[in-house]
Amino acid sequence: MSAAAKPTDMESRTDAQINEIGDLGAAENGVVRGFAGPVAAIRRRFALGIDRLQTGSHPPVCALEKHGLTWRFPWILLGLGVLLDRIGGDIMSEEASKYDASQIQVLEGWEAIRKRPGMYIGSTGERGLRHLVFEVAERAVNEVLAGHASCVDITLTSDSGVCVADDGRGVRIDEAGDTGISGLEALLTRMQTGAGPGGRHDVTLGFCGVGPFVVNALSSRMTAEVRRGGARWVQEYARGVTVTPLTEAGTSTGSGTTITFWPDAGIFGTAEYSFDGLAGRFRELALLNQGLEISLTDQRRPGEARSARFRYPDGARDFVAVLDEQKEEPVHSHIIGFEREEPRMAGTVEVALRWHASHDERVRSFANSRPTDGGTHERGFRDGVAAAVTAYARERRLLTATDPDLDADRISDGLTAVVSVKLDHPEFEGSTRGWLGNAAVRTCVEQAVQEHLGRWLGGHPEQAAAVIDRIIQGARRD
């Protein structure tokens, strides 16, 4: 310290005095006593530096040689000073750091769902509303796929509700196991166990296949009607809770289930359903499952009713045609397609493809009717197409001995394709199930594609020549 600098009050105190003061303050704050001395000493050094800066007794760039510390930026003193206050106060306080079982809040059933709806349906916006419809429609769609119903009807009602109806067997109304409640009530007031990818004959429409109980919990009101055994049964719910007992309400000439729900405005606010968003997914399902019929009707606005019905007898071939609508002229008019049972992967593979004049690639892949970002089924498809095209080109001497094989990137130029596998035991990678991981699927799909595409190329020489010529010319230009 220079001779011109007058000692401050903080400087005039001894380390012992400062430590004693620190101990007293620490004891009052509940700090573990072993930390009191060091914390107080460090506080003193920072206070000393700050005091010097405030009195002008020290330049901005200074050295506290006495304490072996070098300070080059005075504002660091302020930041670390605040940190030390926290260390000596709340953070190290026994009371503030206390944590035991009494601080754990356990939420179960509808309470947990309403507390964190995004965990179950992805969002509380339009996307979340869509998943509510999918969770209810999933059971009805699977009734059709199992051969117990002929169609599923979804209606967006004028009072902001959604009605999902099917003509299937009707949900069971007798007691469900040892629950003491009916099968219908268990379906709508209990979380489904074992939610996950089902077998090849099941589809999962919702966010994670959590079931209609989630829809009930997030709805201000829900009604269920079951037509079974010549009788009509009704029951009402609200926010996940049963409101009325299951009651017989007359006779019925047919069978089926109708569930209507009204999303809770306190959770979803002013969000509205997108007719096009719902229609896109239901159209996709109908294209992937031959014989599935789904209708969607929008009655929300008087005089502006919309409706659409989806049913596609040719499956993946129809899907390729839809993808190619209003696109460039196809290189060949015929859509190549096949479906094959493959025991080695415990499932089926369905493929359709066609090349068109543009350079855009449109390859869509699915596993158990769920859209995927890729995986072993898509990789096997690309390898199979490349192998079939290369083999045909060499057989017809369209490739020279020095030309390399046509790889997957070359053959996908201008390709529209749909690859759909349905497996008894699908293995998805990642929490969003966007990538199929079954190892056997790649080999099975590759061999099936190579065989069927090779047979088509050999049986349609003129169309095959147009396809091969376009691919080879593009490869040589590159």
Side-chain angles (χ1 to χ4, degrees):
M1 183 169 58
S2 66
K6 181 182 179 179
T8 65
D9 179 65
M10 181 63 72
E11 287 180 285
S12 65
R13 296 178 178 178
T14 66
D15 284 348
Q17 290 173 318
I18 295 299
N19 287 341
E20 181 181 356
I21 295 172
D23 285 348
L24 292 174
E28 293 175 357
N29 287 327
V31 179
V32 177
R33 201 164 179 80
F35 288 96
V39 169
I42 298 173
R43 275 180 168 170
R44 176 182 181 275
R45 287 159 174 73
F46 278 99
L48 174 62
I50 293 172
D51 191 50
R52 285 183 171 181
L53 288 174
Q54 291 174 341
T55 60
S57 62
H58 214 295
V61 179
C62 57
L64 302 181
E65 297 178 352
K66 176 181 177 182
H67 303 292
L69 300 174
T70 300
W71 302 107
R72 300 195 177 278
F73 301 100
W75 54 86
I76 294 178
L77 297 173
L78 300 176
L80 292 179
V82 172
L83 175 61
L84 288 171
D85 283 341
R86 295 293 294 166
I87 293 176
D90 293 340
I91 289 181
M92 296 299 295
S93 168
E94 290 180 355
E95 190 66 32
S97 62
K98 181 181 179 182
Y99 181 75
D100 56 30
S102 66
Q103 295 174 284
I104 300 175
Q105 183 181 11
V106 179
L107 297 176
E108 297 181 350
W110 60 269
E111 290 179 304
I113 297 170
R114 292 181 65 82
K115 182 71 173 179
R116 296 284 185 268
M119 293 178 60
Y120 299 88
I121 59 171
S123 83
T124 55
E126 187 274 329
R127 186 165 64 98
L129 287 176
R130 239 185 300 158
H131 280 292
L132 294 185
V133 180
F134 295 154
E135 291 291 355
V136 176
E138 179 179 306
R139 186 203 59 80
V141 168
N142 284 324
E143 278 282 284
V144 176
L145 295 180
H148 302 301
S150 62
C151 65
V152 180
D153 298 309
I154 300 102
T155 304
L156 307 180
T157 64
S158 59
D159 58 352
S160 301
V162 179
C163 178
V164 179
D166 67 74
D167 58 351
R169 295 167 293 181
V171 177
R172 295 184 65 90
I173 57 173
D174 53 345
E175 184 174 332
D178 57 357
T179 62
I181 57 177
S182 69
L184 174 65
E185 189 170 345
L187 175 70
L188 300 179
T189 61
R190 299 287 189 274
M191 184 73 75
Q192 290 186 6
T193 59
R200 73 173 82 179
H201 301 297
D202 294 329
V203 299
T204 300
L205 301 182
F207 186 63
C208 291
V210 290
F213 170 47
V214 170
V215 183
N216 187 5
L218 298 177
S219 298
S220 59
R221 183 186 172 209
M222 172 182 278
T223 64
E225 176 186 291
V226 175
R227 300 172 297 280
R228 186 183 179 97
R232 186 170 69 90
W233 299 82
V234 296
Q235 192 165 25
E236 292 194 12
Y237 312 83
R239 297 178 174 86
V241 178
T242 304
V243 174
T244 65
L246 182 62
T247 305
E248 186 174 354
T251 60
S252 173
T253 57
S255 64
T257 305
T258 300
I259 295 176
T260 308
F261 64 92
W262 291 261
D264 194 335
I267 294 176
F268 296 97
T270 59
E272 292 188 352
Y273 293 100
S274 166
F275 181 88
D276 292 335
L278 291 170
R281 179 57 174 144
F282 288 132
R283 177 187 295 110
E284 191 175 75
L285 278 177
L287 286 163
L288 294 168
N289 297 276
Q290 300 176 32
L292 175 60
E293 184 173 344
I294 303 176
S295 72
L296 177 64
T297 303
D298 188 350
Q299 298 177 344
R300 289 175 293 178
R301 295 172 180 81
E304 300 179 17
R306 302 173 62 185
S307 63
R309 185 168 292 273
F310 309 110
R311 189 175 187 278
Y312 298 93
D314 291 328
R317 286 189 178 89
D318 285 332
F319 206 152
V320 168
V322 169
L323 292 175
D324 275 348
E325 283 179 353
Q326 301 177 347
K327 301 296 181 181
E328 298 77 5
E329 193 71 22
V331 175
H332 53 98
S333 58
H334 182 76
I335 297 177
I336 309 163
F338 70 89
E339 184 175 9
R340 176 170 170 172
E341 173 81 23
E342 184 51 75
R344 290 178 298 166
M345 67 178 196
T348 62
V349 54
E350 184 179 11
V351 171
L353 67 155
R354 180 168 64 180
W355 280 270
H356 50 83
S358 80
H359 295 286
D360 297 332
E361 173 192 309
R362 290 186 288 271
V363 176
R364 303 282 300 277
S365 62
F366 302 85
N368 288 27
S369 300
R370 176 184 287 273
T372 55
D373 300 320
T376 51
H377 56 327
E378 187 172 323
R379 187 71 265 171
F381 164 76
R382 294 180 183 276
D383 291 345
V385 172
V389 171
T390 298
Y392 183 84
R394 292 203 182 281
E395 179 184 338
R396 297 303 174 97
R397 301 183 183 277
L398 300 175
L399 285 175
T400 67
T402 59
D403 286 331
D405 288 348
L406 300 172
D407 59 27
D409 292 334
R410 302 294 186 190
I411 59 91
S412 64
D413 187 46
L415 177 64
T416 299
V418 172
V419 184
S420 174
V421 295
K422 295 176 181 175
L423 309 171
D424 290 336
H425 307 288
E427 298 173 4
F428 293 101
E429 299 178 7
S431 59
T432 60
R433 305 173 189 169
W435 196 271
L436 186 68
N438 296 65
V441 169
R442 178 171 181 173
T443 301
C444 294
V445 173
E446 178 182 353
Q447 292 176 355
V449 170
Q450 183 175 358
E451 176 185 331
H452 285 271
L453 179 57
R455 187 182 303 124
W456 181 88
L457 292 170
H460 301 78
E462 293 184 4
Q463 297 184 66
V467 170
I468 302 298
D469 181 67
R470 184 180 185 283
I471 295 173
I472 292 176
Q473 294 303 319
R476 288 173 177 168
R477 282 196 304 271
D478 295 341

